[in-house]
Amino acid sequence: IAKSAFLANMSHEIRTPLNAITGMAHLIRREGLTAHQAEQMAKLEGASEHLLGTINAILELSKIEAGKFVLEEAPVHIESVMGNVTSILRERAEAKHLALQTEIDALPAGLVGDATRLQQALLNYGINAVKFTETGSVTLRATAVREDIDNCIVRFEVRDTGIGIESETLSRLFSAFEQADASTTRKYGGTGLGLAITKKIAELMGGTAGAESAPGAGSTFWFTVCL
């Protein structure tokens, strides 16, 4: 708890110097560079963005564990959430010649929740699906599981035709800092925090998260939320 509270309080001090680095790199690039300098600058910017993403994930998890993660209550439009996620993923998917599809079942009107966190949770799954799929497709799906007068349980899924995962490994993947194995980090990169964050977001929204997969048969990662 002390570690999480410390990191949550330190988020400004950790992020601000890195923002200065990325900002100054952008300003230097605008002033004009030689081809060699531009190549070096691209590496600097790429490393900075990667580091910022890692720091953000660690701080996000710490914020959740420290109880400082506050959810909004505002209108949620599932079509917009799915559209935003696919627009972010599209360039990565097209670069690998993957079909990117969405399926949205009939959902009740007037849903309320935290659209930003929903998008973040779904995007974590989507980024992984594209990363671990070399051929085929990635499909995002939203469906109503249960509905009453006050609440609707919505299930989000991301299905891929990727490399798949051993069943004994699946149970570990939603723990912080876990990945399938050490070679995954070397080949694909990443902190191993995305799935843990998605599960915690789902749990804060009254749901849970899980996955079904088999080696060579693709994967389906899902989470539920109460809106």
Side-chain angles (χ1 to χ4, degrees):
I1 293 170
K3 174 211 68 176
S4 295
F6 171 75
L7 278 174
N9 290 331
M10 282 289 288
S11 62
H12 177 75
E13 285 77 7
I14 292 172
R15 264 189 287 235
T16 300
L18 188 54
N19 287 333
I21 292 168
T22 54
M24 290 305 296
H26 176 70
L27 291 174
I28 292 169
R29 181 182 285 281
R30 282 176 57 184
E31 291 180 3
L33 300 168
T34 66
H36 181 61
Q37 288 172 326
E39 185 181 340
Q40 290 176 320
M41 186 60 71
K43 290 177 180 176
L44 173 65
E45 290 169 332
S48 298
E49 288 169 12
H50 177 78
L51 181 56
L52 183 59
T54 303
I55 288 171
N56 283 341
I58 292 169
L59 293 175
E60 190 93 308
L61 193 63
S62 297
K63 193 183 290 184
I64 295 170
E65 290 179 345
K68 296 190 175 184
F69 199 81
V70 180
L71 294 173
E72 287 185 1
E73 287 233 345
V76 172
H77 303 287
I78 303 300
E79 294 83 358
S80 298
V81 171
M82 300 279 273
N84 289 343
V85 172
T86 53
S87 68
I88 294 168
L89 294 175
R90 184 161 288 113
E91 189 175 332
R92 304 178 197 212
E94 287 176 352
K96 299 178 79 173
H97 306 291
L98 301 175
L100 187 60
Q101 303 160 339
T102 58
E103 300 172 0
I104 305 175
D105 289 356
L107 295 167
L111 293 175
V112 172
D114 192 326
T116 302
R117 296 306 184 187
L118 267 181
Q119 182 174 312
Q120 178 186 2
L122 191 59
L123 185 60
N124 284 342
Y125 279 172
I127 288 172
N128 274 358
V130 173
K131 183 191 294 186
F132 294 109
T133 303
E134 297 304 322
T135 59
S137 63
V138 172
T139 304
L140 281 65
R141 184 167 186 249
T143 182
V145 177
R146 192 173 71 248
E147 184 183 346
D148 59 33
I149 196 164
D150 294 317
N151 302 296
C152 180
I153 304 296
V154 181
R155 176 181 166 110
F156 293 88
E157 291 180 357
V158 177
R159 299 195 306 267
D160 66 58
T161 56
I163 59 176
I165 304 159
E166 297 278 357
S167 57
E168 58 268 24
T169 304
L170 276 176
S171 59
R172 291 193 291 110
L173 284 183
F174 288 90
S175 302
F177 302 101
E178 284 283 4
Q179 291 182 321
D181 56 53
S183 64
T184 303
T185 309
R186 287 195 297 271
K187 184 175 180 182
Y188 295 100
T191 59
L193 294 177
L195 298 182
I197 290 171
T198 288
K199 186 175 183 181
K200 287 182 181 294
I201 289 173
E203 289 171 346
L204 287 169
M205 291 187 175
T208 187
E212 293 98 34
S213 184
S219 306
T220 298
F221 281 80
W222 59 268
F223 67 91
T224 57
V225 294
C226 181
L227 301 177

